Amino acid sequence: MNVGIVGLGLIGGSMAKSIKARTADTVWGVDLNHETMTLARMCGAIDAPLTEENIPQCDILLIAIRPAAAIEWVKRHAPLIAKSAIVVDLCGVKRVVVGGIAPVAEQYGFAYIGGHPMAGKERGGFTSATDDLYVGASMILTPDKRTDMQLLETLKTFFLDIGFAGLTFSDPEEHDRIIAYTSQLAHIASSAYVKSPEAQRRRGFSAGSFRDMTRVARLDEDMWTELFLDDADYLTKELDVLIANLTEFADALKAGDPETLRALLKDGREKKATAGGN
């Protein structure tokens, strides 16, 4: 197959490297950063740039850029996309993106499905991309009424071939509600946690807990601002819940109340056991 990738950062770059490492597919890629394009060509992650000349030859197009840019790219290039092609966006929110791209796909007659690979790192960019980022990960897809079984079978084979452990099916609403908790809230909590003045004085006093809590604070503020605002309704609900839970701990500590504190900790431990490991 011919696979086109728009955006060769961590997500798109890892897609390119995974495809070249595990399949015989041809990969064409494009990125606004000229150095990234040079590196991608030199290391063999792409066979050639993705251009207006070869977009019509793509069997699969993976859109790995920010939500607003993804919608704009598809709108601008829709007339060039073959009716036999499958377009998959890889954005971290789905309602805004699916709402922007699905009508364009229907208008121009190509297949489109929202996607979100459940993998990442605290550092972005092509230099952080690896050919094993997706090994064992889940690939979320948001099929709709236009999605047929043949399309899903094609994508299942494609994503399993490049290392994913399986597909998870959702709809844009459910995706954004859950991802607000499992991903976005964690990034905000980490960013808030590391702002304590003690973070600058902790050397020699930190171990695994500090590393785990602060790892995702090293984020791309432009990208995450867009993602947070696109999911602001669900994310603010999760923030309200977190703040209420933290307030209960603060109140118990201020009151010197060991029974309430013990009960809160026990409740958290039991809920963690119910929720599972990852």
Side-chain angles (χ1 to χ4, degrees):
M1 290 194 302
N2 296 325
V3 181
I5 302 178
V6 181
L8 295 172
L10 174 66
I11 298 302
S14 293
M15 282 286 177
K17 291 180 179 181
S18 299
I19 295 166
K20 294 308 296 181
R22 291 176 171 81
T23 76
D25 294 341
T26 297
V27 177
W28 298 318
V30 64
D31 194 279
L32 294 177
N33 187 296
H34 295 298
E35 182 180 355
T36 292
M37 290 296 293
T38 300
L39 290 172
R41 289 294 302 276
M42 288 178 63
C43 76
I46 62 174
D47 295 289
L50 179 68
T51 66
E52 293 190 353
E53 284 68 39
N54 56 28
I55 286 174
Q57 301 171 46
C58 289
D59 301 297
I60 293 178
L61 270 167
L62 303 175
I63 316 299
I65 50 181
R66 295 174 192 167
I71 296 168
E72 178 57 31
W73 191 94
V74 174
K75 285 181 176 179
R76 188 167 25 15
H77 295 89
L80 300 174
I81 299 172
K83 287 181 169 55
S84 58
I86 303 172
V87 175
V88 184
D89 84 86
L90 305 178
C91 299
V93 290
K94 293 274 72 78
R95 286 176 297 171
V96 168
V97 181
V98 171
I101 295 179
V104 179
E106 188 164 8
Q107 177 185 352
Y108 285 90
F110 56 82
Y112 161 70
I113 189 166
H116 187 185
M118 288 289 92
K121 293 180 179 180
E122 60 271 27
R123 294 185 185 276
F126 183 79
T127 54
S128 297
T130 62
D131 64 14
D132 61 357
L133 182 67
Y134 302 117
V135 173
S138 171
M139 180 68 194
I140 299 176
L141 294 176
T142 58
D144 61 19
K145 65 181 186 299
R146 294 182 66 238
T147 308
D148 60 40
M149 286 305 299
Q150 183 56 52
L151 181 151
L152 292 178
E153 285 297 326
T154 299
L155 291 180
K156 179 180 179 181
T157 300
F158 174 74
F159 285 120
L160 293 185
D161 281 351
I162 62 176
F164 285 92
L167 303 181
T168 299
F169 297 109
S170 181
D171 61 65
E173 194 80 26
E174 179 187 53
H175 170 277
D176 287 1
R177 187 186 75 247
I178 296 174
I179 218 71
Y181 171 69
T182 61
S183 175
Q184 295 168 358
L185 182 66
H187 283 78
I188 284 182
S190 181
S191 183
Y193 174 78
V194 81
K195 290 175 183 177
S196 167
E198 292 302 327
Q200 307 306 317
R201 300 190 285 265
R202 52 89 189 173
R203 304 213 175 271
F205 290 84
S206 62
S209 298
F210 182 82
R211 286 194 300 271
D212 290 346
M213 275 294 295
T214 60
R215 183 179 64 83
V216 294
R218 188 187 288 115
L219 46 69
D220 177 341
E221 61 271 19
D222 294 325
M223 180 184 76
W224 283 98
T225 293
E226 185 172 345
L227 294 174
F228 291 160
L229 290 175
D230 283 343
D231 209 13
D233 51 351
Y234 285 128
L235 183 53
T236 52
K237 288 179 182 178
E238 291 299 335
L239 272 171
D240 288 343
V241 172
L242 177 61
I243 290 167
N245 290 334
L246 291 172
T247 300
E248 288 186 338
F249 278 98
D251 290 346
L253 287 165
K254 291 172 183 176
D257 184 349
E259 293 306 316
T260 298
L261 189 57
R262 188 177 295 111
L264 290 169
L265 292 168
K266 180 182 178 183
D267 185 48
R269 173 171 55 79
E270 290 174 347
K271 282 186 168 58
K272 167 61 178 173
T274 303
N278 293 327

